Amino acid sequence: MANVVVVGAQWGDEGKGKIVDWLSLEADIVVRFQGGHNAGHTLVIGNQVFKLTLLPSGIVRPGKLSVIGNGVVLDPHHLVDEIAELSGRGVQISPDNLEIAENVTLILALHRELDAHRESSTTEGVKIGTTKRGIGPAYEDRAGRRAIRLMDLAEPDTLDEKIARLLAHHDPLRRGLGLEPVPARAIRDELLSIAPKILPFMAPTWERLEAARRAGKRILFEGAQGALLDVDHGTYPFVTSSHTVAGNAAAGSGLGPKAIGYVLGIAKAYATRVGGGPFPTELHDEIGQTMGDRGHEFGTNTGRRRRCGWFDAVLVRQAVKTSGIDGIALTKLDILDGFEKIEVCVGYLLDGERIDRLPAGQAAQARVKPIYETIEGWKGTTAGARSWAALPAQAIKYVRRIEELIEAPVALLSTSPERADTILVHDPFRD
């Protein structure tokens, strides 16, 4: 059995929630290894819809252990609220089925305030299009070695020194931005008030995961956002503040690289993006509007309408390579039903010269022009199909052409939000 890492192969919002839920039936443990509560996963189970933002998708499945790994930045207040919301809907959550890494970084009120202030700025280059939830500033403090971590709440006598270290950075920063200083006492009170509610979930999760790996348990690693939002390999600076590529599943959970088996990338049959940044195949016409309407392209967390465009094989192929993707789960094929012609980006023109990758420079990324290949559409429906035989022949040709262009096979094909509407080509857990 192979442990499986699930990563988005575009800019996020690819439908990872359904795929992770589908795979979690075979998994013993589901691990969230990066990001914060800025990435929503929508799960449709029977007649219930669950919108998770921080908790691993396995939490709604009885008998599964869910783990929030050290690579995550954790807003403790949001965690408590999300647990309460799910508990109110009958989902059982306790330290028996949820563990949080003791060395996870905490998001504090000052992080949220700083994030919101930056996003309201009119200064060129400051506004990135974040969710204003404090994720970026929390990662900054982690990298700057001044973060408050979950384990610190278990040692309240040491908090004053750690808060002073944190404020030695934030006080002058806030003065420069025209913000009032935050009293150390306010931070201490915030932490001590929430500590009893989250400390019961604290555990040395790396040790638990390593023991499970050695025992042959099946571990599913769940990422947030997508590979094109990776802080190094994405469309910088319009990226998230963590590593979203598959390699971070090991570091973000405390395991070695050999713990990773099969890497499953998730990609829509078209492309979407939320927030600012380059989007070479973006459509500003009726077709883009139709994609958004049919696909209900609104952010799970923010409600922001997503930008829509044609499938970009250049970018997905690049994600395949930077994440070591073994196979793709292709989602939302049904949104393309009825289009007479479908365009697929197969390369770019940059200053008149063809290139087959997204350049790293921000200015160059903004200048690339897509080179399209036109593929004939189909008149039948793919919605709800559960076998290749149920798909229109031209839809199958479209999938096969995507496989050729991205240099990776389609392991799963999702034809609706329902878990059962999935065509399995290759079981990632049986690599």
Side-chain angles (χ1 to χ4, degrees):
M1 293 288 184
N3 295 326
V4 177
V5 180
V6 176
V7 295
Q10 293 161 313
W11 284 290
D13 306 310
E14 301 98 345
K16 291 187 295 297
K18 171 195 167 172
I19 301 301
V20 170
D21 176 58
W22 191 85
L23 290 170
S24 71
L25 292 177
E26 289 193 64
D28 299 299
I29 303 173
V30 181
V31 185
R32 173 78 181 273
F33 64 84
Q34 54 79 217
H37 61 304
N38 57 339
H41 288 167
T42 301
L43 312 180
V44 180
I45 301 174
N47 60 357
Q48 291 203 76
V49 178
F50 297 94
K51 295 182 181 292
L52 306 180
T53 54
L54 184 58
L55 291 169
S57 298
I59 200 69
V60 299
R61 292 290 176 191
K64 312 294 180 182
L65 174 64
S66 290
V67 173
I68 295 177
N70 56 276
V72 172
V73 286
L74 180 85
D75 184 321
H77 299 283
H78 181 88
L79 174 69
V80 169
D81 290 344
E82 191 165 328
I83 290 174
E85 195 273 333
L86 288 179
S87 298
R89 298 179 62 186
V91 179
Q92 300 296 317
I93 302 175
S94 74
D96 292 330
N97 67 340
L98 174 65
E99 293 185 357
I100 305 172
E102 58 190 355
N103 51 341
V104 74
T105 292
L106 300 181
I107 299 174
L108 308 179
L110 58 76
H111 294 131
R112 295 190 296 272
E113 186 178 0
L114 177 59
D115 201 1
H117 180 81
R118 287 171 172 169
E119 282 301 303
S120 64
S121 174
T122 56
T123 303
E124 188 68 27
V126 173
K127 192 172 183 178
I128 298 294
T130 77
T131 54
K132 305 179 185 179
R133 300 191 176 198
I135 281 85
Y139 273 117
E140 289 174 35
D141 282 345
R142 187 181 79 158
R145 295 164 294 184
R146 55 182 172 265
I148 305 294
R149 303 194 290 177
L150 179 56
M151 65 181 73
D152 296 329
L153 304 190
E155 300 178 331
D157 292 343
T158 69
L159 275 177
D160 288 341
E161 177 185 349
K162 290 165 183 172
I163 292 171
R165 182 176 61 197
L166 179 71
L167 291 180
H169 169 80
H170 280 274
D171 279 350
L173 175 61
R174 292 174 70 88
R175 282 197 299 270
L177 294 172
L179 298 173
E180 290 294 320
V182 178
R185 183 75 184 185
I187 296 177
R188 182 181 176 84
D189 291 346
E190 176 189 359
L191 294 172
L192 293 182
S193 68
I194 201 71
K197 300 177 182 178
I198 61 173
L199 281 176
F201 297 100
M202 183 176 75
T205 52
W206 66 269
E207 191 173 51
R208 175 71 175 268
L209 291 172
E210 174 59 13
R213 184 187 72 83
R214 288 180 176 274
K217 300 294 185 182
R218 290 162 294 193
I219 305 173
L220 179 61
F221 299 91
E222 173 187 16
Q225 291 97 24
L228 298 177
L229 291 177
D230 185 273
V231 69
D232 279 341
H233 301 289
T235 49
Y236 190 90
F238 299 97
V239 293
T240 195
S241 298
S242 61
H243 289 293
T244 59
V245 293
N248 193 38
S253 59
L255 293 174
K258 291 183 179 179
I260 297 176
Y262 190 96
V263 180
L264 180 68
I266 316 295
K268 283 177 181 169
Y270 51 104
T272 64
R273 177 164 200 173
V274 171
F279 187 171
T281 64
E282 183 174 10
L283 295 170
H284 300 281
D285 57 12
E286 185 179 341
I287 293 176
Q289 181 77 23
T290 299
M291 287 179 179
D293 291 343
R294 285 187 184 178
H296 305 290
E297 295 297 353
F298 297 91
T300 299
N301 279 332
T302 63
R304 291 185 293 181
R305 188 175 182 92
R306 297 174 186 141
R307 301 153 64 190
C308 296
W310 295 119
F311 186 87
D312 191 329
V314 179
L315 287 180
V316 176
R317 183 173 62 242
Q318 197 158 317
V320 165
K321 298 181 186 306
T322 58
S323 274
I325 290 171
D326 296 297
I328 287 285
L330 193 67
T331 66
K332 291 196 165 186
L333 182 65
D334 55 303
I335 305 306
L336 300 181
D337 289 353
F339 282 118
E340 185 177 338
K341 300 290 182 182
I342 299 171
E343 307 284 355
V344 177
C345 176
V346 297
Y348 299 136
L349 285 177
L350 177 60
D351 302 331
E353 180 182 347
R354 176 169 177 150
I355 60 173
D356 294 311
R357 60 175 176 81
L358 185 71
Q362 180 181 354
Q365 288 178 358
R367 293 201 309 276
V368 296
K369 304 297 182 185
I371 300 171
Y372 285 118
E373 176 180 304
T374 302
I375 298 175
E376 183 183 341
W378 53 90
K379 297 187 183 302
T381 180
T382 63
R386 299 182 183 181
S387 69
W388 288 106
L391 294 174
Q394 197 57 40
I396 296 175
K397 289 182 181 179
Y398 178 72
V399 173
R400 295 304 184 205
R401 182 56 179 149
I402 283 178
E403 289 180 316
E404 293 173 353
L405 291 169
I406 66 174
E407 300 175 14
V410 170
L412 298 167
L413 189 64
S414 172
T415 57
S416 92
E418 294 291 338
R419 182 176 58 82
D421 293 339
T422 304
I423 300 172
L424 176 65
V425 181
H426 176 82
D427 187 342
F429 272 119
R430 305 182 187 279
D431 179 41

